[in-house]
Every structure is written in C-alpha cells, then in structure tokens.
Amino acid sequence: MGPEDLTELARWIVAEGLNGTPETNLLPGLGARLNAAGLPLLRVNIYQPTLHPIIGGHLFIWWRGDSVARQEDWNRRVNETRSEDSLHPFERMIATDARELRFRLDRDDASPGLPLLDDFRQRGGTDYFAMQTGFGKGSILGPLDRILSSWLSDSPAGFSALDLAAIAHLAPPLALAIKATSAYRIADTVLSTYLGRDAGRRVLSGAIERGAGESVHAALWMCDLKGFTRLADTTPRDRLLAMLDEYFEAVVTVVHGCGGQVLKFLGDGLLAIFRLDDDATSCAAALDAAERVLHQVAELTAARSADGLPVSELAVALHLGEVMYGNIGARDRLDFTVVGPAVNELSRLEGMCRVLERNLVISSAFAGAAKQSTDRLVSLGRYALRGVRKPQELFTLEER
C-alpha cells in the first residue's frame, strides 16, 4: 500500500465522518478498501466509551464479507464480575493503560488469559494487533476520551511492518470520524434522557431560543409518591434512591409505551403529556397508562414489602387542556416544559388524591373527552380547587 493509497483512504474516512456515516457502515467500507489495497484484514473491531446512564461503551465488529458491522453494547462496570483471565483484550488495555497489544496467534503462547484470541485462531486468524487512540484534554466528552481498535489478519505471514504503519496512519482520522458520530449520538442520548424524547429532539434540531414554543392541546399527567416526606426522613439515602429508581422505572416505561412524553421529574413525582391523533385518543392512552401503572406499582409495592424494603403508593392526576410547550427560563438556564392554567389545575387535582384518599383523580374536561371509557368513570362529586374559579366534578376509574 503506497502513500497515495493511504492519502486517499484518509480522505475517504474524513468525508464519511463529515457525512455522519454510522460506524456499522463505516467499518465495512474501510475493511473492503484496505483488503483491496493489499492489507490482509479478516476482522476490525472498534470500541468507543460513551456517556450513557446504563451503557458504558459500544463495540462495532466487522468480519470480512460482512456488509454491515455488528454493534454490541457494554454495560457500565461490566468487568467487575469477570475474572482477570476472561477479560476482553480492550478491557485489559484499559486496565493496564497499554497503548498497544500484539499477539501472533499461530504460536502456542499467543493468547495468555485472553480466550477471545483462541476463538480468532480457530477462525483462521494469525496476527492480532490492537491500539488506543486518545483525544486531547480539550476535546473530551465525558468518558469518550479515546477510541480502541483491533485488527486481525489471516495472512500466513501476519501483518508486515508496512501494514502496521498503514493502520497507525489511518487510526487518527478513523478516531476523528467515529468521534464526530459519537458526539451527536451522545448529545441525543443526554438530551432525551434529561429533557424527554420529544423535547430532546426539538432542542437538538435547533429549538433553543428563549420564549420559543407553541400552544398545544394535550392530555396532562402528574403523579407522585404518597408519604415520601416521611420516607425521606426515615430511610437511608441509598435505599431511598433505589426505591425511587424502581418506582420511576415502572411509571416511565408504561407512559412511554402508551405514547406519552415524560417532561420532567418533580422530586418524587413527574409531569407528562399525551399528544396523539385527537383528544379522545390522547385521553384513552393516558387513562390506559394510569391503569397499567397503578397495577404495576401495586405489584412492585407487594414485592418490595415482602423483601422488607421501603414502599409507597402512587397518586395520579389526569387533565386535558391548552398549554404552552417550549423554552422557558433565564438567559443561561432554560427548561423545555409546559406551562399555563391547565398545568396549575393539574397540580391541584393531584393534591386531591390525598384529600379524597384515591390513587387516581380525573378532571371533568378529561372525563368528557375520554369517550371510550365513559362507562368506567365514577364520579367523586363536585369540588372547588384552590386557585380555580369554578368548582368541577371529579372522577376516578372504576375498579375491575
């Protein structure tokens, strides 16, 4: 492979990075081009750490002949439960801060303590080379401070000195291209995780101007845990946080599954909206979510109680109304959320769960639009809500 070939490959890699080509497509293109240029590649593997609440990093694996690279995700702290002699070569490199690893697989002592290399030998691999490409301190995004790559040859002679020099020459532009794609993915993940899926996408697409937003008609959801203040005073921090995580996991999974958008957490509660085809469909989805959540929370509470863990009940309020959905706040600290009288009424409705000793309270506006479930709604009577001019009839869901 001559200098012109390397220059052309480096340009191609940079162009793919600028185009945002995903790693699953970038690696097959690179592998095919390197093989065509005479570099004997059987497999390429890239590992990139990432900023994610659960996933610690992504592996992208290409074998010769694959049209798409396979992606595998490593959970955080994955190697804490693995013995030293079963580590992935990348894990050993990270643990020892080795800049490079090389093993000739046609030798008996080729893979000490690295069973993965034994598998490569059985598949025809002869020479394994891995390296780290680090980023400068000014360009680190969370744990994304490096790219690890491994290269496997099946040539009887293994990699030549020129082959390894070519790999070293192409590693920086490859790392830069992957970093560009990773940065966008991380931004999308972080915004979706902390702002919500829809709000995150809006912000990432450029909807960041203060005061920018739109008026929307939506089914509104607010819930929180009953008796949380008392629990917070009497429960150790770690057990309290673990309890919140379990209850929120149940709620958010159902809300998202029913088409809702979780906008924000409010201490021990959360605010969500349902915007589907029309009011009837939105209300039906929100009501279905409430019924499912309350059932799952009851099961979770029973299981936690049996294990001697702290438990709580959930209070859910459902309303329907016009809200302003957009950016609100100070110049250097904005929130993408909903505001308006309907949100204030929703908060008052949620407070009525305790007054009426109910786990679910529904407004008259919501009940009027929930046409598919009218026969299952039970009146709780008319009540005056603090800060709301007119008393209104409140409802709950008939127990099955």
Side-chain angles (χ1 to χ4, degrees):
M1 182 181 300
E4 292 183 0
D5 295 323
L6 285 175
T7 299
E8 183 58 33
L9 263 174
R11 286 174 179 168
W12 176 83
I13 291 171
V14 171
E16 293 299 295
L18 290 172
N19 193 45
T21 301
E23 299 89 341
T24 50
N25 294 330
L26 177 63
L27 289 191
L30 175 62
R33 283 168 171 79
L34 285 171
N35 275 320
L39 200 154
L41 271 181
L42 177 61
R43 179 184 186 269
V44 179
N45 184 198
I46 301 292
Y47 171 69
Q48 51 175 128
T50 190
L51 186 60
H52 191 281
I54 298 174
I55 299 171
H58 304 291
L59 285 170
F60 298 94
I61 303 166
W62 172 81
W63 288 88
R64 185 192 298 146
D66 290 348
S67 59
V68 177
R70 186 177 80 253
Q71 178 178 339
E72 296 180 359
D73 295 333
W74 276 356
N75 289 338
R76 289 184 176 275
R77 299 182 295 275
V78 66
N79 61 354
E80 290 183 0
T81 59
R82 294 166 64 170
S83 61
E84 178 66 26
D85 61 359
S86 67
L87 294 179
H88 189 286
F90 287 161
E91 293 174 291
R92 176 169 292 185
M93 291 181 73
I94 294 171
T96 61
D97 200 28
R99 308 314 299 171
E100 296 181 355
L101 282 180
R102 188 182 182 191
F103 297 101
R104 286 299 304 261
L105 304 185
D106 50 1
R107 299 172 184 168
D108 292 338
D109 60 348
S111 52
L114 296 171
L116 186 63
L117 299 187
D118 294 327
D119 177 64
F120 294 164
R121 182 190 298 111
Q122 294 173 11
R123 298 183 65 166
T126 59
D127 198 350
Y128 176 89
F129 175 69
M131 63 185 299
Q132 295 197 51
T133 305
F135 301 145
K137 293 182 179 180
S139 61
I140 292 175
L141 186 59
L144 183 58
D145 60 350
R146 71 191 83 180
I147 296 294
L148 281 77
S149 61
S150 70
W151 313 76
L152 181 65
S153 174
D154 60 349
S155 168
F159 289 122
S160 68
L162 289 177
D163 293 334
L164 295 178
I167 290 172
H169 181 82
L170 295 175
L174 178 61
L176 190 60
I178 291 175
K179 181 184 178 184
T181 305
S182 301
Y184 182 87
R185 183 188 301 113
I186 287 174
D188 183 51
T189 297
V190 170
L191 288 174
S192 295
T193 300
Y194 284 91
L195 296 183
R197 294 174 179 176
D198 183 64
R201 282 192 292 266
R202 288 169 180 258
V203 170
L204 199 57
S205 67
I208 60 174
E209 182 180 351
R210 183 169 64 163
E214 60 178 317
S215 293
V216 300
H217 206 67
L220 309 175
W221 163 303
M222 184 177 286
C223 69
D224 74 356
L225 298 176
K226 294 182 177 180
F228 183 78
T229 301
R230 176 183 54 79
L231 280 171
D233 287 340
T234 59
T235 305
R237 180 198 62 190
D238 292 347
R239 286 163 64 95
L240 187 70
L241 293 178
M243 184 194 79
L244 280 173
D245 287 343
E246 280 202 66
Y247 280 104
F248 281 150
E249 183 72 26
V251 174
V252 173
T253 299
V254 172
V255 169
H256 283 169
C258 291
Q261 296 287 337
V262 174
L263 298 182
K264 60 164 50 179
F265 291 95
L266 307 164
D268 60 316
L270 63 85
L271 173 66
I273 62 174
F274 290 77
R275 294 179 61 206
L276 303 178
D277 296 335
D278 50 47
D279 287 350
T281 306
S282 297
C283 289
L287 194 58
D288 182 35
E291 187 173 23
R292 293 187 189 187
V293 161
L294 291 174
H295 176 72
Q296 290 195 17
V297 164
E299 290 185 340
L300 175 61
T301 297
R304 289 180 59 86
S305 182
D307 291 338
L309 298 173
V311 298
S312 180
E313 291 184 66
L314 190 71
V316 180
L318 299 177
H319 189 28
L320 178 73
E322 194 87 11
V323 293
M324 201 285 276
Y325 181 41
N327 281 297
I328 300 131
R331 181 165 31 184
D332 56 358
R333 178 60 176 90
L334 295 171
D335 194 7
F336 205 104
T337 187
V338 291
V339 294
V343 180
N344 298 334
E345 291 181 31
L346 179 67
S347 176
R348 304 293 184 260
L349 288 166
E350 195 274 330
M352 291 299 292
C353 289
R354 292 158 183 75
V355 175
L356 301 176
E357 297 183 346
R358 298 283 180 170
N359 289 329
L360 175 63
V361 171
I362 299 167
S363 73
S364 58
F366 187 101
K371 302 183 186 303
Q372 301 174 16
S373 305
T374 302
D375 59 339
R376 298 186 55 212
L377 298 182
V378 179
S379 176
L380 297 172
R382 292 179 63 82
Y383 295 90
L385 304 179
R386 182 166 58 88
V388 180
R389 288 180 297 174
K390 295 182 179 180
Q392 64 171 285
E393 188 174 12
L394 305 183
F395 297 84
T396 193
L397 194 60
E398 181 183 50
E399 295 184 6
R400 292 183 175 180

